[in-house]
Amino acid sequence: MAMTQAGSGGPAARWTAIVAAAAATGAGVLAVVPGAAADPGDAPAPDPWVSVADGYHRVTVPQAAAHEIIGGTPARLELEGNIGPNGTWARLAMDPSGDTYPGGFGPLAPGLYVYEYTATMPDLSQVRFKEPSSPVAVTSHPTWNTIFVPGESVQWMSDLPAGGAVAPMTYDSDVTGGERSALVWTPPGYDADRAEAYPVLYLLADEAQTAQEWAELGRAPQILDNLAAEGALEPMVVVMADVDVDDPVSELVDNLVVASRERLNVTDRPAHQAVAGIGTGATTALQALVAGPGEFAAVGSFSGALDTPIDAATAQEIDEGTDLLRLYVGNELDPAHNDTYDLVQRFAAAGVDVEVDGVNPESGGTWDSWRENLRDFASRAFRGSDGAPSPGHRPLDGRYTPPAVGSVDRPHVDENGIVTFETGTQWADAREVTVWANWAPNGAWFRVPMTKVGDRWRVTVGPLDGYYYYRYVVDGVDHKDPADTETTLTGVTPLFVPGETDHMYADAPVGERGRVSTLAYDSAVAGEERKALVWTPPGYDADRAEPYPVLYLNHGGGQSYGDWIETGRAAQILDNHYRQGAIVPMVVVMGNGNVPDFQAELFDNLMPAVDGAYHVSSEPSRRAMAGLSMGAMNTLSTWFARPGEFAYVGAFSGFLFSYPPTDVAAMNAGTKLARIYTGDTTDFTYSFTMGLVDVLKERGIEHEFAGVTVGPHGFDTWMQNLVDFLPRIFRPETSAGIPIEATVAEAENGVLALTVADHGPAVVLSRATNVGDRLRSAGELPTVTVTDSRSVSQAGASGWAVTGQGYRFTSGVGSFGADRLGWTPRLGTQREGLAAGGPVSTSMSAGTGLAVPATLASANARGRFGSAPVGADLVLDVPVDTAPGTYTGTLTLSLFPVD
């Protein structure tokens, strides 16, 4: 990784970091896993209604085809699948447009996904269907299609060019009185005539699953192929079966095992036989263990249960005849969570030696967990086990008790981020209720179905992490959460789940928050009294000598003056920036832009009211304006029409339909910063915003383009924009950032200045190396020297602080956030009152990274005077499946006087 100059000029010291990730990955592809209608050797067969571009899956369903399949015109059409947070089953609305039903979702993390199309008819009945020409991907769910998104993190279950063979096997069942089938994987180089018979592992499906599902959704052949290629698997035969019949143990032992010995070169020695299963299949494996100790040397339970009593004699036989007994379970959402805990206690009480893989924190009882279980268990069978849980798994140290029905008012969040939504009884007669929230991968809106429990509707999802906002949809009609009495100006309810992300959106500690007040004023434009919300910083002093700079922050179309506070977390963003020293004290005004003449309302009504009620500057050089969507359009039109009125301009997903003639010289002379933001291609204003950038370039209007923010036309994008914009405005001249290659001369007496050492054309970090779960690069920040020659009369009791913040890294193949960048500050000289900032870990090490402003160094009144050289060790962590390429981002340093 090299760090090179970002550009010349600008109001902050900036660096551009470039990483060439030593990883290989492909774009998302559609693949159908082996199924009843698709031979295991078939090439991937995509759904022709789905395409992949820029990491997004775009869906286009022809209306005529859909109507023919479902026999009418639906009230709504949706795509639903395990595309919600952490694999939650969720629905994507596909509203009609022209002659199609379009939709899209992504970018999806590497993994396997399933989906189907659902038409809700006018009578609220539902019809589920698939694109008719695509083969059946999941035998037990004929309307499902599958999507496999490759990547380094799922290489262990990806296709290999040369692996084992998969074939069906039929056998007669004495239990059912008919012919049954199983699926068999044989290892590479399998020899049916080998003198030494192969060890054998029997994999048992859960109820309502088929034997084929181990391949279709479990990707068992791929998992086994990769283990074999890694040398992490004892050469064995694996038989995948469904024994969910009247006597499953007899079906396993007397039919499946016997048939396998007859048709395959597998051993009959118990020491080389293993059995594992999911759910009821796991219960069968455990029952076989208790009923015939020693029949299987290795037994695995994936989300299983067992009620069979175990006496001391049986426990001893189990220990003597079993080399490996290992239990697996998902998080609190796994229905077998408590059953597995009880089973551990029962085995312990009986004296049975058992290994517990711990709790998978990311997944409940789903194939996401069971695939990992298979990978772990197969690698241990016939080879010995160290007994340790899988990395990152939590101890299984107790039963899970969900909140009681009727006890949940607002969403209940447990210590692990599991969130329970529950309605009141007001929708007891509804036929369908969903939670609609911004929990799609890019912040778009998905609906998660709820289940009726008594007279209430309820759903539990997770683990969630960060900031969300939601509403309920009842029989197709949107409703704000009736229990939310705090947010009164918007139609959504906020939900913040503490975790490892979205730290800038969290509430600041009590005592470190600004104040949000309501300003009422008379509007001649609207002919009524209107309101605005105003944020003032902690310690706001209406009597201080210097008036505060002021930012006017505009909302979007269909919104109100409350949206930035109630939905956009503006107060939290401002609070956190302020307490971290990233912004200067300022006043922020959020007015009501729903008027026929925005500029008349602003200049004739709102601004005079603000000037009269708050101690703000009337100097244009101390005024800023920014907005989202329609608010960005109002900002831009004001900038063009009245250049010089606002020195700082920010446009988030905004443009103008036409660009009037303007005084370019006046715009450039009166504007210190104009910064343009856009969401990605899912933001419907994307092309218009890029057109705005072209117009600004063509006319010679000075501006900065912030690059593409990954996200749609929504607050997930605009909050990131606000986080980026705020530290760039109203910077004191002496704390203005310096391009990395520049050096500021020694300051004259009475000046506080920041100097950055010359580092040549680039700051070169070490080559990215694979350290297990990430690629890591390291290096050093150029020496930063703070010179404070202010007199006591000038500085008073103030000191100074240098903060740093990184911004998103992007390339032609992808992007990642500055949360991947961390540092460990250090001082070049030691003296009382001078301190280095604390180390900042990357998000991959459970830190915030430099996406959140962090202190490089600080000095109090005692330690401020003179020169202080400061440096930092830099580290960049990215996932091992990061697409190779050159990524550029910025690291900005700011110097502030502090009290």
Side-chain angles (χ1 to χ4, degrees), residues 338-358:
N338 290 346
D339 289 335
T340 302
Y341 175 77
D342 293 343
L343 182 56
V344 173
Q345 304 309 305
R346 184 177 298 114
F347 278 140
V352 175
D353 291 334
V354 62
E355 295 181 5
V356 182
D357 190 53

Side-chain angles (χ1 to χ4, degrees), residues 470-485:
Y470 71 94
R471 58 170 69 109
Y472 292 115
V473 182
V474 182
D475 290 338
V477 179
D478 298 354
H479 293 268
K480 183 181 174 184
D481 187 343
D484 176 13
T485 58

Side-chain angles (χ1 to χ4, degrees), residues 444-463:
W445 285 64
F446 282 168
R447 298 175 183 176
V448 171
M450 305 183 78
T451 300
K452 193 171 184 182
V453 182
D455 289 337
R456 303 171 186 272
W457 292 82
R458 186 180 178 102
V459 68
T460 302
V461 298

Side-chain angles (χ1 to χ4, degrees), residues 40 54 219 299 309 405 483 496 583 615 662 675 730 841 847 868 891 893:
D54 301 324
R219 295 188 72 82
V299 178
V405 175
F496 188 81
I583 60 173
H615 187 36
T662 191
R675 192 161 169 87
F730 307 134
S841 300
L891 175 61
L893 295 181

Side-chain angles (χ1 to χ4, degrees), residues 17-19 21 708 808-816 882-889:
I18 303 173
V19 59
V708 174
R808 193 165 192 85
F809 291 70
T810 60
S811 78
V813 295
S815 67
F816 53 83
T882 299
T886 298
Y887 295 79
T888 60

Side-chain angles (χ1 to χ4, degrees), residues 356-369:
V356 182
D357 190 53
V359 175
N360 185 333
E362 298 300 323
S363 178
T366 69
W367 277 110
D368 289 332
S369 290

